[in-house]
Amino acid sequence: MSEASAIEVCIAGTGSYLPEKILTNEELSTFVDTTDEWIFTRTGIKERRIAAEGEFTSHMASKAAERALEQAGLAAEEIELIIVATITPDTLTPATACYVQQKLGANKAVAFDISAACSGFLYAMKISKRMISSGAFKNALIIGAEKLSAFVNWEDRATCVLFGDGAGAAVLRAAGPGEGAILATEMGTDGNLTHLLNIPGGGSACPITINNAGDHLASLSMLGKEVFKHAVNRMKEAAEKVIARAGLEPEDIACVIPHQANLRIIDAIADRLAVPNDRVFVNLHKYGNTSAAAVAIALDEANREGKFKRGDKIVLVVFGAGLTWAAAAVRW
Ligand code: UT7
């Protein structure tokens, strides 16, 4: 489907929030059978953030949102649409976006969540771009936020070393002349591969009961090697599609912002896209994999660190449970 539309949509502001508590690889290896050496060489992760007790996904989401709103110069009451991408909602219902709406005082906004795992923030970007370019909404606040520490089996070294907590946000609005634009977006799903990465318990298929409460069924479960293979292929394809649709060449791209799951995956993507490593943004050494929040936090950090300037072309690309994947090409 053509992405041409009368109303262009720009990213007017970004924000992020990371909880204060840092859990280093060394600290982890005091209670799980692992080492800093294994984690760093296999993933590139050195440490991750852990939300405080009583600090929920909606708290982190709201703090990231406030920063994005401030940068966009928009008051919370002006926001018309809030989409929170998360797999670790405060409650199964209502949506975390409803708590965020209440916390921000964004009383005019329609608010709902989407569940697309690590791809959720770019799914939200595509949905809200369409909503704005169709004229249905003037602006949108999109947020990726996760409290994965609450859904990790801290006895399973194959998964618990990988994940962390945090939130990232962006404000999208109709663009004026000469402003930036979301040039192209892509998203995809392969529901045949749900078994590769999931949280098996806690839903209607497998409620947590007194009989299975000790089985860690409400924790992330992953076949890492399989996921790795699909991640590289799907992210490459998705990124190539938006680069081509936006009429770009690899040398036109100022910054690639990939999902932050594994440095080896990121390096493989950079290699396949023929983009030099110094134009690929990486922060997973500090935060680990924060699922839907990862690309949103990375976008905000890259923006605030001046990795690109007005008019530069950037590419975001993600991959996650589902399996799902997505990409976006943006003129800043
Ligand atoms: O965000 C959604 C997308 N997620 C991803 O993209 C994740 C993709 N997958 C990965 O990043 C990698 O597959 C992992 C980092 C998860 C695992 O790396 P790997 O190179 O695929 O290792 P492996 O699972 O094959 O494990 C290799 C060995 C095993 O031991 P044996 O069987 O060779 O004796 C594991 O038991 O490493 C062992 N191992 C560990 N050792 C120390 C697994 N986890 C650990 C650990 N510390 N934390």
PDB file of all heavy atoms in Angstrom, residues 32-35 38-39 42-43 118 157-159 161-163 197 222-225 227-228 231 259 261-262 264-265 289 291 319-321, ligand 1:
ATOM      1  N   VAL A  32      23.376 -16.397  40.189  1.00  0.00           N
ATOM      2  CA  VAL A  32      23.051 -17.281  39.056  1.00  0.00           C
ATOM      3  C   VAL A  32      24.374 -17.844  38.551  1.00  0.00           C
ATOM      4  O   VAL A  32      25.409 -17.174  38.641  1.00  0.00           O
ATOM      5  CB  VAL A  32      22.382 -16.493  37.893  1.00  0.00           C
ATOM      6  CG1 VAL A  32      21.878 -17.452  36.821  1.00  0.00           C
ATOM      7  CG2 VAL A  32      21.251 -15.635  38.384  1.00  0.00           C
ATOM      8  N   ASP A  33      24.326 -19.068  37.993  1.00  0.00           N
ATOM      9  CA  ASP A  33      25.541 -19.723  37.504  1.00  0.00           C
ATOM     10  C   ASP A  33      25.944 -19.123  36.154  1.00  0.00           C
ATOM     11  O   ASP A  33      25.651 -19.678  35.089  1.00  0.00           O
ATOM     12  CB  ASP A  33      25.271 -21.235  37.379  1.00  0.00           C
ATOM     13  CG  ASP A  33      26.503 -21.970  36.888  1.00  0.00           C
ATOM     14  OD1 ASP A  33      27.614 -21.394  36.978  1.00  0.00           O
ATOM     15  OD2 ASP A  33      26.342 -23.108  36.402  1.00  0.00           O
ATOM     16  N   THR A  34      26.586 -17.950  36.200  1.00  0.00           N
ATOM     17  CA  THR A  34      27.013 -17.270  34.983  1.00  0.00           C
ATOM     18  C   THR A  34      28.248 -16.423  35.290  1.00  0.00           C
ATOM     19  O   THR A  34      28.695 -16.375  36.440  1.00  0.00           O
ATOM     20  CB  THR A  34      25.868 -16.389  34.422  1.00  0.00           C
ATOM     21  OG1 THR A  34      26.234 -15.930  33.133  1.00  0.00           O
ATOM     22  CG2 THR A  34      25.543 -15.198  35.317  1.00  0.00           C
ATOM     23  N   THR A  35      28.794 -15.789  34.260  1.00  0.00           N
ATOM     24  CA  THR A  35      29.953 -14.915  34.463  1.00  0.00           C
ATOM     25  C   THR A  35      29.796 -13.668  33.612  1.00  0.00           C
ATOM     26  O   THR A  35      29.099 -13.685  32.587  1.00  0.00           O
ATOM     27  CB  THR A  35      31.258 -15.609  34.003  1.00  0.00           C
ATOM     28  OG1 THR A  35      31.117 -15.933  32.610  1.00  0.00           O
ATOM     29  CG2 THR A  35      31.560 -16.858  34.805  1.00  0.00           C
ATOM     30  N   TRP A  38      30.944 -14.503  30.062  1.00  0.00           N
ATOM     31  CA  TRP A  38      29.969 -15.185  29.191  1.00  0.00           C
ATOM     32  C   TRP A  38      28.935 -14.178  28.686  1.00  0.00           C
ATOM     33  O   TRP A  38      28.665 -14.107  27.482  1.00  0.00           O
ATOM     34  CB  TRP A  38      29.251 -16.325  29.933  1.00  0.00           C
ATOM     35  CG  TRP A  38      28.438 -17.187  28.984  1.00  0.00           C
ATOM     36  CD1 TRP A  38      28.835 -18.355  28.403  1.00  0.00           C
ATOM     37  CD2 TRP A  38      27.119 -16.921  28.470  1.00  0.00           C
ATOM     38  NE1 TRP A  38      27.850 -18.840  27.557  1.00  0.00           N
ATOM     39  CE2 TRP A  38      26.776 -17.971  27.582  1.00  0.00           C
ATOM     40  CE3 TRP A  38      26.180 -15.905  28.658  1.00  0.00           C
ATOM     41  CZ2 TRP A  38      25.559 -18.044  26.902  1.00  0.00           C
ATOM     42  CZ3 TRP A  38      24.970 -15.969  27.969  1.00  0.00           C
ATOM     43  CH2 TRP A  38      24.674 -17.036  27.108  1.00  0.00           C
ATOM     44  N   ILE A  39      28.384 -13.408  29.608  1.00  0.00           N
ATOM     45  CA  ILE A  39      27.291 -12.497  29.208  1.00  0.00           C
ATOM     46  C   ILE A  39      27.814 -11.462  28.205  1.00  0.00           C
ATOM     47  O   ILE A  39      27.195 -11.220  27.164  1.00  0.00           O
ATOM     48  CB  ILE A  39      26.677 -11.778  30.440  1.00  0.00           C
ATOM     49  CG1 ILE A  39      26.122 -12.793  31.440  1.00  0.00           C
ATOM     50  CG2 ILE A  39      25.566 -10.816  29.994  1.00  0.00           C
ATOM     51  CD1 ILE A  39      25.709 -12.186  32.779  1.00  0.00           C
ATOM     52  N   ARG A  42      28.865 -13.051  24.711  1.00  0.00           N
ATOM     53  CA  ARG A  42      27.729 -13.596  23.943  1.00  0.00           C
ATOM     54  C   ARG A  42      26.692 -12.552  23.570  1.00  0.00           C
ATOM     55  O   ARG A  42      25.926 -12.752  22.630  1.00  0.00           O
ATOM     56  CB  ARG A  42      27.008 -14.683  24.748  1.00  0.00           C
ATOM     57  CG  ARG A  42      27.845 -15.872  25.088  1.00  0.00           C
ATOM     58  CD  ARG A  42      27.903 -16.841  23.920  1.00  0.00           C
ATOM     59  NE  ARG A  42      28.769 -17.961  24.245  1.00  0.00           N
ATOM     60  CZ  ARG A  42      28.580 -19.192  23.832  1.00  0.00           C
ATOM     61  NH1 ARG A  42      27.570 -19.482  23.051  1.00  0.00           N
ATOM     62  NH2 ARG A  42      29.418 -20.134  24.168  1.00  0.00           N
ATOM     63  N   THR A  43      26.597 -11.458  24.374  1.00  0.00           N
ATOM     64  CA  THR A  43      25.490 -10.508  24.148  1.00  0.00           C
ATOM     65  C   THR A  43      25.922  -9.050  24.016  1.00  0.00           C
ATOM     66  O   THR A  43      25.214  -8.263  23.393  1.00  0.00           O
ATOM     67  CB  THR A  43      24.474 -10.554  25.318  1.00  0.00           C
ATOM     68  OG1 THR A  43      25.087  -9.971  26.478  1.00  0.00           O
ATOM     69  CG2 THR A  43      24.023 -11.960  25.638  1.00  0.00           C
ATOM     70  N   CYS A 118       9.017  -6.891  21.374  1.00  0.00           N
ATOM     71  CA  CYS A 118      10.074  -5.899  21.099  1.00  0.00           C
ATOM     72  C   CYS A 118       9.745  -5.025  19.894  1.00  0.00           C
ATOM     73  O   CYS A 118      10.365  -3.981  19.702  1.00  0.00           O
ATOM     74  CB  CYS A 118      11.403  -6.607  20.872  1.00  0.00           C
ATOM     75  SG  CYS A 118      11.764  -7.808  22.146  1.00  0.00           S
ATOM     76  N   ARG A 157      19.471 -19.028  33.954  1.00  0.00           N
ATOM     77  CA  ARG A 157      20.580 -18.207  33.450  1.00  0.00           C
ATOM     78  C   ARG A 157      20.463 -17.929  31.949  1.00  0.00           C
ATOM     79  O   ARG A 157      21.061 -16.983  31.429  1.00  0.00           O
ATOM     80  CB  ARG A 157      21.926 -18.863  33.747  1.00  0.00           C
ATOM     81  CG  ARG A 157      22.169 -20.141  32.964  1.00  0.00           C
ATOM     82  CD  ARG A 157      23.541 -20.699  33.245  1.00  0.00           C
ATOM     83  NE  ARG A 157      23.806 -21.863  32.405  1.00  0.00           N
ATOM     84  CZ  ARG A 157      24.959 -22.485  32.354  1.00  0.00           C
ATOM     85  NH1 ARG A 157      25.960 -22.075  33.111  1.00  0.00           N
ATOM     86  NH2 ARG A 157      25.131 -23.515  31.554  1.00  0.00           N
ATOM     87  N   ALA A 158      19.717 -18.791  31.231  1.00  0.00           N
ATOM     88  CA  ALA A 158      19.593 -18.607  29.784  1.00  0.00           C
ATOM     89  C   ALA A 158      18.769 -17.372  29.429  1.00  0.00           C
ATOM     90  O   ALA A 158      18.872 -16.849  28.321  1.00  0.00           O
ATOM     91  CB  ALA A 158      18.965 -19.845  29.151  1.00  0.00           C
ATOM     92  N   THR A 159      17.932 -16.909  30.357  1.00  0.00           N
ATOM     93  CA  THR A 159      17.105 -15.726  30.057  1.00  0.00           C
ATOM     94  C   THR A 159      17.347 -14.555  31.012  1.00  0.00           C
ATOM     95  O   THR A 159      17.350 -13.406  30.570  1.00  0.00           O
ATOM     96  CB  THR A 159      15.592 -16.077  30.105  1.00  0.00           C
ATOM     97  OG1 THR A 159      15.323 -16.726  31.362  1.00  0.00           O
ATOM     98  CG2 THR A 159      15.172 -16.975  28.958  1.00  0.00           C
ATOM     99  N   VAL A 161      19.756 -13.157  32.405  1.00  0.00           N
ATOM    100  CA  VAL A 161      20.900 -12.249  32.211  1.00  0.00           C
ATOM    101  C   VAL A 161      20.624 -11.246  31.082  1.00  0.00           C
ATOM    102  O   VAL A 161      21.365 -10.274  30.911  1.00  0.00           O
ATOM    103  CB  VAL A 161      22.189 -13.031  31.876  1.00  0.00           C
ATOM    104  CG1 VAL A 161      22.485 -14.048  32.971  1.00  0.00           C
ATOM    105  CG2 VAL A 161      22.112 -13.737  30.525  1.00  0.00           C
ATOM    106  N   LEU A 162      19.563 -11.479  30.309  1.00  0.00           N
ATOM    107  CA  LEU A 162      19.373 -10.723  29.061  1.00  0.00           C
ATOM    108  C   LEU A 162      18.538  -9.457  29.228  1.00  0.00           C
ATOM    109  O   LEU A 162      18.698  -8.515  28.454  1.00  0.00           O
ATOM    110  CB  LEU A 162      18.692 -11.611  28.012  1.00  0.00           C
ATOM    111  CG  LEU A 162      19.380 -12.930  27.682  1.00  0.00           C
ATOM    112  CD1 LEU A 162      18.491 -13.780  26.772  1.00  0.00           C
ATOM    113  CD2 LEU A 162      20.728 -12.681  27.017  1.00  0.00           C
ATOM    114  N   PHE A 163      17.617  -9.458  30.201  1.00  0.00           N
ATOM    115  CA  PHE A 163      16.554  -8.451  30.175  1.00  0.00           C
ATOM    116  C   PHE A 163      16.691  -7.381  31.247  1.00  0.00           C
ATOM    117  O   PHE A 163      17.349  -7.589  32.269  1.00  0.00           O
ATOM    118  CB  PHE A 163      15.189  -9.153  30.292  1.00  0.00           C
ATOM    119  CG  PHE A 163      14.936 -10.087  29.135  1.00  0.00           C
ATOM    120  CD1 PHE A 163      15.105 -11.459  29.277  1.00  0.00           C
ATOM    121  CD2 PHE A 163      14.573  -9.590  27.893  1.00  0.00           C
ATOM    122  CE1 PHE A 163      14.897 -12.329  28.203  1.00  0.00           C
ATOM    123  CE2 PHE A 163      14.361 -10.445  26.818  1.00  0.00           C
ATOM    124  CZ  PHE A 163      14.522 -11.819  26.977  1.00  0.00           C
ATOM    125  N   LEU A 197       9.556 -17.830  21.551  1.00  0.00           N
ATOM    126  CA  LEU A 197       9.753 -16.805  22.583  1.00  0.00           C
ATOM    127  C   LEU A 197       8.386 -16.434  23.135  1.00  0.00           C
ATOM    128  O   LEU A 197       7.539 -15.911  22.393  1.00  0.00           O
ATOM    129  CB  LEU A 197      10.454 -15.591  21.929  1.00  0.00           C
ATOM    130  CG  LEU A 197      10.723 -14.344  22.742  1.00  0.00           C
ATOM    131  CD1 LEU A 197      11.410 -14.654  24.058  1.00  0.00           C
ATOM    132  CD2 LEU A 197      11.588 -13.370  21.944  1.00  0.00           C
ATOM    133  N   MET A 222      12.622 -18.805  26.092  1.00  0.00           N
ATOM    134  CA  MET A 222      13.136 -18.495  24.749  1.00  0.00           C
ATOM    135  C   MET A 222      14.055 -19.591  24.226  1.00  0.00           C
ATOM    136  O   MET A 222      14.893 -20.112  24.964  1.00  0.00           O
ATOM    137  CB  MET A 222      13.911 -17.170  24.788  1.00  0.00           C
ATOM    138  CG  MET A 222      14.542 -16.807  23.458  1.00  0.00           C
ATOM    139  SD  MET A 222      15.067 -15.096  23.337  1.00  0.00           S
ATOM    140  CE  MET A 222      16.434 -15.078  24.465  1.00  0.00           C
ATOM    141  N   LEU A 223      13.904 -19.908  22.934  1.00  0.00           N
ATOM    142  CA  LEU A 223      14.880 -20.755  22.241  1.00  0.00           C
ATOM    143  C   LEU A 223      15.831 -19.787  21.517  1.00  0.00           C
ATOM    144  O   LEU A 223      15.608 -19.402  20.364  1.00  0.00           O
ATOM    145  CB  LEU A 223      14.178 -21.696  21.258  1.00  0.00           C
ATOM    146  CG  LEU A 223      13.210 -22.707  21.911  1.00  0.00           C
ATOM    147  CD1 LEU A 223      12.445 -23.503  20.866  1.00  0.00           C
ATOM    148  CD2 LEU A 223      13.993 -23.651  22.835  1.00  0.00           C
ATOM    149  N   GLY A 224      16.857 -19.373  22.251  1.00  0.00           N
ATOM    150  CA  GLY A 224      17.703 -18.254  21.835  1.00  0.00           C
ATOM    151  C   GLY A 224      18.341 -18.393  20.458  1.00  0.00           C
ATOM    152  O   GLY A 224      18.317 -17.446  19.662  1.00  0.00           O
ATOM    153  N   LYS A 225      18.891 -19.552  20.173  1.00  0.00           N
ATOM    154  CA  LYS A 225      19.615 -19.723  18.897  1.00  0.00           C
ATOM    155  C   LYS A 225      18.680 -19.560  17.702  1.00  0.00           C
ATOM    156  O   LYS A 225      19.032 -18.958  16.690  1.00  0.00           O
ATOM    157  CB  LYS A 225      20.255 -21.117  18.855  1.00  0.00           C
ATOM    158  CG  LYS A 225      21.674 -21.114  19.353  1.00  0.00           C
ATOM    159  CD  LYS A 225      22.456 -22.287  18.789  1.00  0.00           C
ATOM    160  CE  LYS A 225      23.785 -22.462  19.493  1.00  0.00           C
ATOM    161  NZ  LYS A 225      24.495 -21.229  19.812  1.00  0.00           N
ATOM    162  N   VAL A 227      15.787 -17.943  17.680  1.00  0.00           N
ATOM    163  CA  VAL A 227      15.344 -16.545  17.621  1.00  0.00           C
ATOM    164  C   VAL A 227      16.422 -15.702  16.940  1.00  0.00           C
ATOM    165  O   VAL A 227      16.127 -14.852  16.088  1.00  0.00           O
ATOM    166  CB  VAL A 227      15.043 -16.006  19.040  1.00  0.00           C
ATOM    167  CG1 VAL A 227      14.749 -14.515  19.000  1.00  0.00           C
ATOM    168  CG2 VAL A 227      13.871 -16.750  19.653  1.00  0.00           C
ATOM    169  N   PHE A 228      17.658 -15.953  17.279  1.00  0.00           N
ATOM    170  CA  PHE A 228      18.807 -15.220  16.729  1.00  0.00           C
ATOM    171  C   PHE A 228      18.771 -15.235  15.201  1.00  0.00           C
ATOM    172  O   PHE A 228      18.873 -14.199  14.535  1.00  0.00           O
ATOM    173  CB  PHE A 228      20.091 -15.870  17.258  1.00  0.00           C
ATOM    174  CG  PHE A 228      21.343 -15.081  17.021  1.00  0.00           C
ATOM    175  CD1 PHE A 228      22.036 -14.522  18.089  1.00  0.00           C
ATOM    176  CD2 PHE A 228      21.845 -14.905  15.744  1.00  0.00           C
ATOM    177  CE1 PHE A 228      23.208 -13.793  17.880  1.00  0.00           C
ATOM    178  CE2 PHE A 228      23.018 -14.183  15.518  1.00  0.00           C
ATOM    179  CZ  PHE A 228      23.690 -13.637  16.597  1.00  0.00           C
ATOM    180  N   ALA A 231      15.920 -13.302  13.750  1.00  0.00           N
ATOM    181  CA  ALA A 231      16.092 -11.867  14.028  1.00  0.00           C
ATOM    182  C   ALA A 231      16.944 -11.221  12.946  1.00  0.00           C
ATOM    183  O   ALA A 231      16.583 -10.173  12.390  1.00  0.00           O
ATOM    184  CB  ALA A 231      16.722 -11.667  15.400  1.00  0.00           C
ATOM    185  N   HIS A 259      16.862  -2.750  17.384  1.00  0.00           N
ATOM    186  CA  HIS A 259      16.481  -3.353  18.651  1.00  0.00           C
ATOM    187  C   HIS A 259      17.749  -3.777  19.401  1.00  0.00           C
ATOM    188  O   HIS A 259      18.693  -4.275  18.793  1.00  0.00           O
ATOM    189  CB  HIS A 259      15.585  -4.570  18.403  1.00  0.00           C
ATOM    190  CG  HIS A 259      15.208  -5.293  19.652  1.00  0.00           C
ATOM    191  ND1 HIS A 259      14.776  -4.632  20.778  1.00  0.00           N
ATOM    192  CD2 HIS A 259      15.218  -6.620  19.977  1.00  0.00           C
ATOM    193  CE1 HIS A 259      14.532  -5.516  21.730  1.00  0.00           C
ATOM    194  NE2 HIS A 259      14.795  -6.728  21.267  1.00  0.00           N
ATOM    195  N   ALA A 261      19.076  -6.262  21.560  1.00  0.00           N
ATOM    196  CA  ALA A 261      18.962  -7.587  22.192  1.00  0.00           C
ATOM    197  C   ALA A 261      20.316  -8.252  22.311  1.00  0.00           C
ATOM    198  O   ALA A 261      20.613  -8.894  23.325  1.00  0.00           O
ATOM    199  CB  ALA A 261      18.015  -8.481  21.408  1.00  0.00           C
ATOM    200  N   ASN A 262      21.139  -8.098  21.268  1.00  0.00           N
ATOM    201  CA  ASN A 262      22.413  -8.812  21.252  1.00  0.00           C
ATOM    202  C   ASN A 262      23.349  -8.089  20.281  1.00  0.00           C
ATOM    203  O   ASN A 262      22.969  -7.840  19.136  1.00  0.00           O
ATOM    204  CB  ASN A 262      22.172 -10.257  20.789  1.00  0.00           C
ATOM    205  CG  ASN A 262      23.407 -11.110  20.945  1.00  0.00           C
ATOM    206  OD1 ASN A 262      24.502 -10.715  20.558  1.00  0.00           O
ATOM    207  ND2 ASN A 262      23.241 -12.293  21.510  1.00  0.00           N
ATOM    208  N   ARG A 264      25.870  -9.118  18.761  1.00  0.00           N
ATOM    209  CA  ARG A 264      26.204  -9.929  17.572  1.00  0.00           C
ATOM    210  C   ARG A 264      25.106  -9.797  16.518  1.00  0.00           C
ATOM    211  O   ARG A 264      25.391  -9.806  15.320  1.00  0.00           O
ATOM    212  CB  ARG A 264      26.412 -11.394  17.977  1.00  0.00           C
ATOM    213  CG  ARG A 264      27.663 -11.598  18.840  1.00  0.00           C
ATOM    214  CD  ARG A 264      27.905 -13.065  19.129  1.00  0.00           C
ATOM    215  NE  ARG A 264      26.930 -13.603  20.054  1.00  0.00           N
ATOM    216  CZ  ARG A 264      26.359 -14.803  19.959  1.00  0.00           C
ATOM    217  NH1 ARG A 264      26.640 -15.603  18.957  1.00  0.00           N
ATOM    218  NH2 ARG A 264      25.505 -15.220  20.863  1.00  0.00           N
ATOM    219  N   ILE A 265      23.850  -9.684  16.943  1.00  0.00           N
ATOM    220  CA  ILE A 265      22.757  -9.464  15.984  1.00  0.00           C
ATOM    221  C   ILE A 265      22.914  -8.082  15.345  1.00  0.00           C
ATOM    222  O   ILE A 265      22.813  -7.917  14.131  1.00  0.00           O
ATOM    223  CB  ILE A 265      21.370  -9.571  16.670  1.00  0.00           C
ATOM    224  CG1 ILE A 265      21.147 -10.989  17.200  1.00  0.00           C
ATOM    225  CG2 ILE A 265      20.250  -9.154  15.725  1.00  0.00           C
ATOM    226  CD1 ILE A 265      19.829 -11.195  17.947  1.00  0.00           C
ATOM    227  N   ASN A 289      18.269  -6.024  27.245  1.00  0.00           N
ATOM    228  CA  ASN A 289      17.122  -6.026  26.335  1.00  0.00           C
ATOM    229  C   ASN A 289      15.885  -5.563  27.104  1.00  0.00           C
ATOM    230  O   ASN A 289      15.427  -6.256  28.017  1.00  0.00           O
ATOM    231  CB  ASN A 289      16.939  -7.446  25.792  1.00  0.00           C
ATOM    232  CG  ASN A 289      15.796  -7.568  24.815  1.00  0.00           C
ATOM    233  OD1 ASN A 289      14.986  -6.657  24.661  1.00  0.00           O
ATOM    234  ND2 ASN A 289      15.716  -8.708  24.148  1.00  0.00           N
ATOM    235  N   SER A 291      12.949  -4.996  25.621  1.00  0.00           N
ATOM    236  CA  SER A 291      11.821  -5.328  24.745  1.00  0.00           C
ATOM    237  C   SER A 291      11.254  -4.072  24.058  1.00  0.00           C
ATOM    238  O   SER A 291      12.003  -3.362  23.403  1.00  0.00           O
ATOM    239  CB  SER A 291      10.756  -6.107  25.529  1.00  0.00           C
ATOM    240  OG  SER A 291       9.788  -6.618  24.640  1.00  0.00           O
ATOM    241  N   PHE A 319      12.707  -6.427  16.255  1.00  0.00           N
ATOM    242  CA  PHE A 319      12.345  -7.831  16.109  1.00  0.00           C
ATOM    243  C   PHE A 319      11.959  -8.385  17.475  1.00  0.00           C
ATOM    244  O   PHE A 319      12.574  -8.026  18.470  1.00  0.00           O
ATOM    245  CB  PHE A 319      13.569  -8.598  15.588  1.00  0.00           C
ATOM    246  CG  PHE A 319      13.306 -10.044  15.430  1.00  0.00           C
ATOM    247  CD1 PHE A 319      12.712 -10.515  14.280  1.00  0.00           C
ATOM    248  CD2 PHE A 319      13.624 -10.939  16.439  1.00  0.00           C
ATOM    249  CE1 PHE A 319      12.435 -11.860  14.129  1.00  0.00           C
ATOM    250  CE2 PHE A 319      13.354 -12.284  16.302  1.00  0.00           C
ATOM    251  CZ  PHE A 319      12.754 -12.743  15.134  1.00  0.00           C
ATOM    252  N   GLY A 320      10.956  -9.247  17.532  1.00  0.00           N
ATOM    253  CA  GLY A 320      10.603  -9.788  18.840  1.00  0.00           C
ATOM    254  C   GLY A 320       9.651 -10.971  18.790  1.00  0.00           C
ATOM    255  O   GLY A 320       9.398 -11.546  17.724  1.00  0.00           O
ATOM    256  N   ALA A 321       9.116 -11.306  19.968  1.00  0.00           N
ATOM    257  CA  ALA A 321       8.219 -12.455  20.098  1.00  0.00           C
ATOM    258  C   ALA A 321       7.025 -12.285  19.187  1.00  0.00           C
ATOM    259  O   ALA A 321       6.586 -11.178  18.875  1.00  0.00           O
ATOM    260  CB  ALA A 321       7.765 -12.594  21.549  1.00  0.00           C
TER     261      ALA A 321
HETATM  262  O1  UT7 B   1      14.275  -9.431  22.116  1.00  0.00           O
HETATM  263  C1  UT7 B   1      13.748 -10.487  21.393  1.00  0.00           C
HETATM  264  C2  UT7 B   1      14.738 -11.067  20.526  1.00  0.00           C
HETATM  265  N1  UT7 B   1      15.664 -11.855  21.287  1.00  0.00           N
HETATM  266  C3  UT7 B   1      16.828 -12.123  20.743  1.00  0.00           C
HETATM  267  O2  UT7 B   1      17.102 -11.617  19.685  1.00  0.00           O
HETATM  268  C4  UT7 B   1      17.766 -13.094  21.424  1.00  0.00           C
HETATM  269  C5  UT7 B   1      18.470 -13.909  20.403  1.00  0.00           C
HETATM  270  N2  UT7 B   1      19.367 -14.923  20.940  1.00  0.00           N
HETATM  271  C6  UT7 B   1      20.513 -14.605  21.562  1.00  0.00           C
HETATM  272  O3  UT7 B   1      20.823 -13.457  21.757  1.00  0.00           O
HETATM  273  C7  UT7 B   1      21.444 -15.739  21.930  1.00  0.00           C
HETATM  274  O4  UT7 B   1      20.972 -16.945  21.374  1.00  0.00           O
HETATM  275  C8  UT7 B   1      21.597 -15.888  23.479  1.00  0.00           C
HETATM  276  C9  UT7 B   1      22.424 -14.735  24.037  1.00  0.00           C
HETATM  277  C10 UT7 B   1      20.254 -15.950  24.145  1.00  0.00           C
HETATM  278  C11 UT7 B   1      22.361 -17.195  23.794  1.00  0.00           C
HETATM  279  O5  UT7 B   1      23.614 -17.215  23.109  1.00  0.00           O
HETATM  280  P1  UT7 B   1      24.075 -18.526  22.320  1.00  0.00           P
HETATM  281  O6  UT7 B   1      25.389 -18.222  21.772  1.00  0.00           O
HETATM  282  O7  UT7 B   1      22.965 -18.867  21.364  1.00  0.00           O
HETATM  283  O8  UT7 B   1      24.223 -19.577  23.489  1.00  0.00           O
HETATM  284  P2  UT7 B   1      23.441 -20.941  23.742  1.00  0.00           P
HETATM  285  O9  UT7 B   1      22.045 -20.676  24.179  1.00  0.00           O
HETATM  286  O10 UT7 B   1      23.640 -21.861  22.599  1.00  0.00           O
HETATM  287  O11 UT7 B   1      24.263 -21.520  24.959  1.00  0.00           O
HETATM  288  C12 UT7 B   1      25.638 -21.898  24.813  1.00  0.00           C
HETATM  289  C13 UT7 B   1      26.120 -22.475  26.122  1.00  0.00           C
HETATM  290  C14 UT7 B   1      25.237 -23.588  26.667  1.00  0.00           C
HETATM  291  O12 UT7 B   1      26.086 -24.542  27.273  1.00  0.00           O
HETATM  292  P3  UT7 B   1      26.511 -25.870  26.498  1.00  0.00           P
HETATM  293  O13 UT7 B   1      25.220 -26.573  26.168  1.00  0.00           O
HETATM  294  O14 UT7 B   1      27.261 -25.425  25.280  1.00  0.00           O
HETATM  295  O15 UT7 B   1      27.355 -26.586  27.493  1.00  0.00           O
HETATM  296  C15 UT7 B   1      24.416 -22.914  27.718  1.00  0.00           C
HETATM  297  O16 UT7 B   1      23.997 -23.779  28.740  1.00  0.00           O
HETATM  298  O17 UT7 B   1      26.139 -21.455  27.129  1.00  0.00           O
HETATM  299  C16 UT7 B   1      25.401 -21.900  28.259  1.00  0.00           C
HETATM  300  N3  UT7 B   1      24.754 -20.730  28.854  1.00  0.00           N
HETATM  301  C17 UT7 B   1      25.352 -19.954  29.764  1.00  0.00           C
HETATM  302  N4  UT7 B   1      26.543 -20.024  30.365  1.00  0.00           N
HETATM  303  C18 UT7 B   1      26.851 -19.067  31.256  1.00  0.00           C
HETATM  304  C19 UT7 B   1      23.528 -20.229  28.572  1.00  0.00           C
HETATM  305  N5  UT7 B   1      23.300 -19.111  29.299  1.00  0.00           N
HETATM  306  C20 UT7 B   1      24.409 -18.947  30.062  1.00  0.00           C
HETATM  307  C21 UT7 B   1      24.797 -17.960  31.010  1.00  0.00           C
HETATM  308  N6  UT7 B   1      26.018 -18.071  31.568  1.00  0.00           N
HETATM  309  N7  UT7 B   1      24.002 -16.929  31.331  1.00  0.00           N
END
